[in-house]
């Protein structure tokens, strides 16, 4: 028999690790919803042309797309990133602006799989369509910053740049083109032939030949026009006003072609440099029009949730051990099982988190399951308790030998609640990391 495994570059995320994902997503949702962003759930696949709009000369489109023809002959692709789908949805539905959206979804790129680089990765992102106010750039960056801070990451560097607009980008592009033309022989194999197609891509190339050849290349920042320069200045002022530290990185061009003006990236100083980008984003003021909509500016970011958790591992934050137990109560029944069946149902209906053993196992084995479950309390139902209409409560964190407390079935739920509130970390939120 073949032994099936996850495809290369994909993973199963199992409990208890999956609890960290739930917490991360809940944290992300809480932060962006509190700032007025609404969830958009778009299809996992779209017309391939939707994604081609993110840049014909990018690796994401040229080399990494999961593209297929469906049984009706349509050319489709799995989503490689979130922005194109949101822009397509905006053009299709024309919601009132500013349209402030968020999403959390898997993305698919046929990349060389390695630690921190997957073929299915997960992004949490936001996109704002319909305003070119530089203060929205600050808001977007600040929300990502707040998210990283809220999970406890401290070793995060914010890099910002401006890529200009339709006025100043062509002037800069020409300067860069002339610069590269004189050095084309020094570029890597790929860019020696392709540099002219999109000269900016050469600045994003990580090959040592391209890095060396472009060390003193001209920067867009020196070419910003009368509209882009004050825009960028206002973004930097805003970040400073909010106390968000940043560095200006004039070489930051990002891996997708739609960017205009503000671009930014968050890098973890705790991770290997090749996979240290935790998230990134920027403006894409021409993308809605390119997708067939009216001229509409846009800005957003995508945060790599897989990498964020890797950075958490390296910084020792959001640890599984620090998540509070998912259960309040574990029901142990060695008197036939009616009690476990009925009481577990009552506990859950009363809003308590309860589990139980099945299969009529021995008291010892059921108590072992209770211990492993992480629940604070075990309820014990034996023949004596059944006869007396009572239940024994055992505090699973008490010193060994601490006597069990016996209560009447009618008083059980109140007694459990009383005991749980006396230890506040086990009630309410999923985790004691949830603040
Ligand atoms: P991106 O920089 O291509 O931007 O991806 C965003 C983040 O997703 C990266 O910083 C990284 O953390 C994570 N990521 C990307 N590829 C992988 C991978 N193969 N394995 C693990 N993590 C990965 C975008 O996708 C843009 N849509 C961001 C954006 C939103 N720009 C404007 N709005």
């Amino acid at each position: 028999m073949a032994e099936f495994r996850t495809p290369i570059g994909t993973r199963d995320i199992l409990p208890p690790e999956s609890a960290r994902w739930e917490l991360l997503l809940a944290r992300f949702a809480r932060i962006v919803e509190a700032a007025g962003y609404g969830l958009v759930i778009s299809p996992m696949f779209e017309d391939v042309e939707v994604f081609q709009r993110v840049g014909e000369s990018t690796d994401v489109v040229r080399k990494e797309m999961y593209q297929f023809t469906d049984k009706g002959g349509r050319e489709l692709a799995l989503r490689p990133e979130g922005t194109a789908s949101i822009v397509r949805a905006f053009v299709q539905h024309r919601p009132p602006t500013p349209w402030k959206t968020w999403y959390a979804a898997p993305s698919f790129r046929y990349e060389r799989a390695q630690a921190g680089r997957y073929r299915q990765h997960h992004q949490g992102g936001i996109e704002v369509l319909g305003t070119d106010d530089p203060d929205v750039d600050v808001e977007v960056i600040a929300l990502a910053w707040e998210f990283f801070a809220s999970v406890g990451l401290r070793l995060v560097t914010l890099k910002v740049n401006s890529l200009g607009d339709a006025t100043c980008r062509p002037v800069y592009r020409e300067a860069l083109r002339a610069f590269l033309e004189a050095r084309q022989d020094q570029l890597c194999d790929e860019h020696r032939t392709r540099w002219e197609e999109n000269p900016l891509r050469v600045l994003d190339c990580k090959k040592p030949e391209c890095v060396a050849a472009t060390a003193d290349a001209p920067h867009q920042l020196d070419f910003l026009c009368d509209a882009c320069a004050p825009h960028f200045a206002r973004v930097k002022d805003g970040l400073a006003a909010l106390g968000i530290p940043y560095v200006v990185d004039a070489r930051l061009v990002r891996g997708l072609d739609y960017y205009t003006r503000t671009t930014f990236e968050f890098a973890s100083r705790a991770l290997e440099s090749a996979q240290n980008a935790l998230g990134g984003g920027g403006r894409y003021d021409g993308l809605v029009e390119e997708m067939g909509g009216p001229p509409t500016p846009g800005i957003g970011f995508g945060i790599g949730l897989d990498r964020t958790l890797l950075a958490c591992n390296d910084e020792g934050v959001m640890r599984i051990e620090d998540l509070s137990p998912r259960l309040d109560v574990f029901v142990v029944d060695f008197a036939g099982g009616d009690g476990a069946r009925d009481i577990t149902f009552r506990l859950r209906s009363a809003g308590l988190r309860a589990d139980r053993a099945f299969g009529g196992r021995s008291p010892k084995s059921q108590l072992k399951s209770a211990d492993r479950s992480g629940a604070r309390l075990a309820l014990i139902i034996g023949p004596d308790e059944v006869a007396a209409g009572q239940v024994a409560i055992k505090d699973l964190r008490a010193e060994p030998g601490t006597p069990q407390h016996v209560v009447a079935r009618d008083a059980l739920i109140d007694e459990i609640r009383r005991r749980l509130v006396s230890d506040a970390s086990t009630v309410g939120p999923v985790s004691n990391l949830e603040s």
Side-chain angles (χ1 to χ4, degrees):
M1 268 288 265
E3 192 189 328
F4 295 114
R5 308 189 62 86
T6 46
I8 292 170
T10 68
R11 297 162 302 145
D12 296 315
I13 299 163
L14 308 176
E17 169 68 4
S18 52
R20 300 208 302 162
W21 283 79
E22 285 182 81
L23 186 58
L24 203 64
L25 288 169
R27 188 68 59 86
F28 185 76
R30 197 189 63 199
I31 288 172
V32 297
E33 291 201 332
Y37 290 73
L39 173 65
V40 171
I41 301 169
S42 66
M44 198 93 80
F45 55 87
E46 304 251 6
D47 189 317
V48 69
E49 288 188 33
V50 168
F51 300 124
Q52 279 164 349
R53 296 293 196 282
V54 311
E56 293 281 11
S57 69
T58 62
D59 283 356
V60 171
V61 171
R62 282 184 45 234
K63 303 180 188 164
E64 299 168 1
M65 203 113 84
Y66 277 90
Q67 202 169 331
F68 60 99
T69 311
D70 77 1
K71 292 185 196 305
R74 297 169 198 90
E75 282 301 313
L76 302 169
L78 296 185
R79 168 206 302 134
E81 58 106 52
T83 313
S85 300
I86 297 285
V87 171
R88 193 268 312 137
F90 176 81
V91 173
Q92 182 174 339
H93 304 289
R94 303 291 171 97
T97 56
W99 197 42
K100 294 173 68 166
T101 67
W102 73 275
Y103 51 89
S107 300
F108 305 86
R109 297 181 188 179
Y110 193 82
E111 300 215 61
R112 208 162 58 78
Q114 52 196 294
R117 190 170 293 278
Y118 308 106
R119 292 187 177 167
Q120 173 175 334
H121 72 277
H122 302 80
Q123 284 190 24
I126 64 175
E127 312 290 343
V128 186
L129 290 159
T131 169
D132 66 357
D133 188 329
D135 286 359
V136 93
D137 305 27
V138 176
E139 171 174 303
V140 165
I141 296 172
L143 287 169
W145 184 260
E146 189 188 339
F147 171 68
F148 292 126
S150 82
V151 298
L153 291 174
R154 295 287 169 266
L155 302 175
V156 179
T157 301
L158 165 62
K159 297 184 273 186
V160 296
N161 191 20
S162 175
L163 291 180
D165 65 4
T167 304
C168 53
R169 175 86 67 85
V171 184
Y172 167 62
R173 216 180 128 102
E174 184 45 39
L176 183 61
R177 211 197 63 78
F179 176 90
L180 293 175
E181 188 168 29
R183 289 162 182 79
Q184 48 185 303
D185 301 343
Q186 300 163 33
L187 302 178
C188 74
D189 288 349
E190 179 181 345
H191 288 118
R192 210 172 303 137
T193 52
R194 301 188 69 100
W195 66 273
E196 213 165 356
E197 200 178 300
N198 187 344
L200 256 80
R201 286 267 72 80
V202 184
L203 293 186
D204 197 33
C205 179
K206 305 287 183 286
K207 300 253 168 60
E209 305 92 292
C210 282
V211 172
T214 59
D216 54 352
H219 295 144
Q220 176 72 59
L221 287 182
D222 298 325
F223 289 79
L224 293 183
C225 62
D226 290 349
C228 289
H231 185 104
F232 192 47
R234 174 85 190 167
V235 173
K236 289 187 291 181
D237 283 354
L239 294 175
L242 302 188
I244 297 174
Y246 65 88
V247 289
V248 174
D249 179 354
R251 286 185 68 97
L252 180 69
V253 296
R254 313 251 320 117
L256 303 156
D257 278 349
Y258 46 59
Y259 290 112
T260 55
R261 291 193 169 171
T262 313
T263 47
F264 55 90
E265 212 158 84
F266 295 90
S268 166
R269 301 194 292 282
L271 294 181
E272 278 284 307
S273 68
Q275 269 76 243
N276 71 355
L278 297 182
R283 282 208 157 271
Y284 43 86
D285 292 344
L287 188 58
V288 174
E289 233 176 322
E290 225 177 282
M291 209 81 88
T296 309
I299 181 166
F301 66 67
I303 288 176
L305 299 175
D306 316 72
R307 287 193 193 166
T308 300
L309 282 174
L310 290 176
C312 287
N313 294 345
D314 284 16
E315 289 204 36
V317 297
M318 276 263 292
R319 299 178 324 151
I320 290 172
E321 308 85 283
D322 297 334
L323 305 185
S324 71
R326 306 180 67 81
L327 287 179
D328 300 316
V329 182
F330 195 96
V331 182
V332 168
D333 181 337
F334 47 98
D338 291 0
R341 182 192 62 201
D342 303 345
I343 288 177
T344 309
F345 181 77
R346 263 178 60 211
L347 295 172
R348 290 176 185 161
S349 305
L352 292 162
R353 302 171 302 173
D355 198 4
R356 53 163 292 192
F358 288 101
R361 287 157 42 214
S362 70
K364 194 169 159 216
S365 140
Q366 292 191 46
L367 277 167
K368 210 157 147 197
S369 301
D371 269 330
R372 241 196 333 248
S373 76
R376 161 77 192 283
L377 303 173
L379 301 189
I380 299 166
I381 308 164
D384 293 349
E385 284 80 14
V386 171
Q390 293 176 327
V391 176
I393 302 179
K394 179 175 160 68
D395 186 336
L396 292 168
R397 290 194 217 149
E399 294 294 319
T402 309
Q404 294 173 9
H405 184 83
V406 178
V407 287
R409 281 197 183 201
D410 291 348
L412 180 61
I413 288 177
D414 285 345
E415 176 61 20
I416 293 172
R417 285 222 173 92
R418 196 186 63 70
R419 282 170 169 256
L420 293 174
V421 284
S422 71
D423 180 359
S425 71
T426 62
V427 283
V430 172
S431 161
N432 54 15
L433 291 171
E434 191 70 56
S435 51

